């Protein structure tokens, strides 16, 4: 169906509305015209309307902008259940990767899957994201790791965007891992050579995994500088496993975002803030990998950096389609105040994708919103393990 072109919808009986462009409104209503927000305010001030308009009764619930998931690895096949058992037994992630687990086992399963299988698997994940209130998501390739397999994954992403209401920002992540059977320099050259084709197949972004055991700062610079020259936006997996200078590279290149940041220090946070690089935190991954430092948010807040949130949805280190769960972790593990966590999950993540039409409900924004199963956003954070979202609206159309 793809994101609806635009419908009219009146959302009534909103107990509490978080527009993000202004203070919360109690006892509110919100109108969407042709898929865009045309009015919001206290229900008592709702202008009189003429003609038939579809209505959604929020039944006193809290309404927030549709969540923006700033970082996912959605198209994959296979399972990483063996990795989980090993990790629970104390085996570090890098050791799992070294024995052919981790990304490499997912690459093998993804290459072996048919196009239709990959579309079906990825569509199911996109639907689960919508059911959890996510209306826009960044979606990376990265489990193909040959030119043809990576381009096929971009086609999968395009098919999923066309078949669901989710707004998708496709990212080419050929620089996810060096395939074990490839020469490093040769593989980096192939990633660079694939950039024009990736862009032609719908990629808007290029990302690289710059970390100990992944790509070096020099290799990531080669890939992202070429991507920037080709007209793609850039983002970077940085400071996840170790501090090797990736945040400095993101600042140097002016990347839209630096993501993960588990080993970020105060200096790195200041560099990101000064360069206007949005910091994307992925707490479900930090929790899964089991070496949580949980210091990044403190450094970023002190530096005044823009914080975004993502699920990092992937089969091994963060199998999570739920932004509400990520918001809970952002508050309970990182210690972000509730208002800042919701802001990060909407406005902050939209900024990480350089979009100003989503992530808020100001007049003229996309009519994308989530009706929470809560009267107040703080109740969503406190209520663990419950269904978080009652209804999701994309472009004025109720999708779930
Ligand atoms: Zn990632």
């Amino acid at each position: 169906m793809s994101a609806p072109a635009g419908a009219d919808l009146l959302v009534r009986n909103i107990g509490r509305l978080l527009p993000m462009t202004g203070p919360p409104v109690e006892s509110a209503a919100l109108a969407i015209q042709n898929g865009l927000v045309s009015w919001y305010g206290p229900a008592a001030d709702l202008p009189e309307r003429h003609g038939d308009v579809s209505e959604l009764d929020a039944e006193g619930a809290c309404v927030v902008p549709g969540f923006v998931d700033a970082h996912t690895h959605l198209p994959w096949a296979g399972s990483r259940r063996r990795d989980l058992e090993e990790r629970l037994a104390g085996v570090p992630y890098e050791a799992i990767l070294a024995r052919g687990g981790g990304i490499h086992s997912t690459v093998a399963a993804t290459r072996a899957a048919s196009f239709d299988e990959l579309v079906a698997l990825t569509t199911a994940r996109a639907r689960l994201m919508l059911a959890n209130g996510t209306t826009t998501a960044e979606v990376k390739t990265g489990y193909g790791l040959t030119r043809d397999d990576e381009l096929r994954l971009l086609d999968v992403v395009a098919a999923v965007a066309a078949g669901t209401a989710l707004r998708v920002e496709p990212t080419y992540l050929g620089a996810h891992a060096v395939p074990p059977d490839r020469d490093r320099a040769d593989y980096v050259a192939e990633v660079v050579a694939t950039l024009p084709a990736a862009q032609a197949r719908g990629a808007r972004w290029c990302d690289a995994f710059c970390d100990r055991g992944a790509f070096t700062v020099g290799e990531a610079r080669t890939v992202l500088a070429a991507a920037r020259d080709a007209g793609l936006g850039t983002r970077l997996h940085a400071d996840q496993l170790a501090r090797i200078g990736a945040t400095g590279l993101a600042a140097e290149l002016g990347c839209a975002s630096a993501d993960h940041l588990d080993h970020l220090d105060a200096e790195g946070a200041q560099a990101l803030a000064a360069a206007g690089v949005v910091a994307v935190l992925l707490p479900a991954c930090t929790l899964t990998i089991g070496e949580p430092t949980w210091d990044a948010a403190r450094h970023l807040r002190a530096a005044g950096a823009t914080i975004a949130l993502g699920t990092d949805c992937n089969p091994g280190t963060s199998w999570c389609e739920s932004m509400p769960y990520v918001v809970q972790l952002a508050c309970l593990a990182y210690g972000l105040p509730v208002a800042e966590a919701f802001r990060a999950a909407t406005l902050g993540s939209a900024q990480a994708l350089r979009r100003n039409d989503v992530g808020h409900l100001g007049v003229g924004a996309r009519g994308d919103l989530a009706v929470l199963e809560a009267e107040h956003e703080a109740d969503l954070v406190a209520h663990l393990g419950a269904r978080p979202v009652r209804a999701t609206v994309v472009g004025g159309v109720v999708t779930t």
Side-chain angles (χ1 to χ4, degrees), residues 71 73 140 237 260 282 312:
H71 184 133
H73 301 251
K140 304 176 200 298
H237 282 65
H260 283 285
L282 308 166
D312 193 24

Side-chain angles (χ1 to χ4, degrees), residues 197-249:
Q199 195 174 22
R201 303 280 267 273
R204 282 208 345 113
W205 301 96
C206 180
D207 191 353
F209 185 9
C210 181
D211 216 313
R212 191 177 66 201
F215 291 86
T216 65
V217 168
E219 290 164 343
R221 183 187 284 112
T222 299
V223 170
L224 293 188
R228 190 186 53 190
D229 293 347
L232 286 160
T234 56
R235 38 206 331 109
L236 190 62
H237 282 65
D239 286 11
Q240 180 188 2
L241 306 170
R243 212 181 299 138
I244 66 163
T247 41
L249 178 63

Side-chain angles (χ1 to χ4, degrees), residues 52-86:
D52 287 338
V53 177
S54 299
E55 291 195 8
L56 175 65
D57 185 350
E59 297 176 342
C62 180
V63 168
V64 301
F67 294 110
V68 179
D69 189 338
H71 184 133
T72 81
H73 301 251
L74 227 48
W76 82 78
S79 165
R80 297 261 284 276
R81 57 182 78 94
R82 184 179 157 194
D83 293 14
L84 172 70
E85 296 288 7
E86 288 179 354

Side-chain angles (χ1 to χ4, degrees), residues 262 283 286-287 289-295 333:
D262 293 300
T286 308
L287 181 70
I289 288 206
E291 297 174 40
T293 51
W294 306 114
D295 287 336

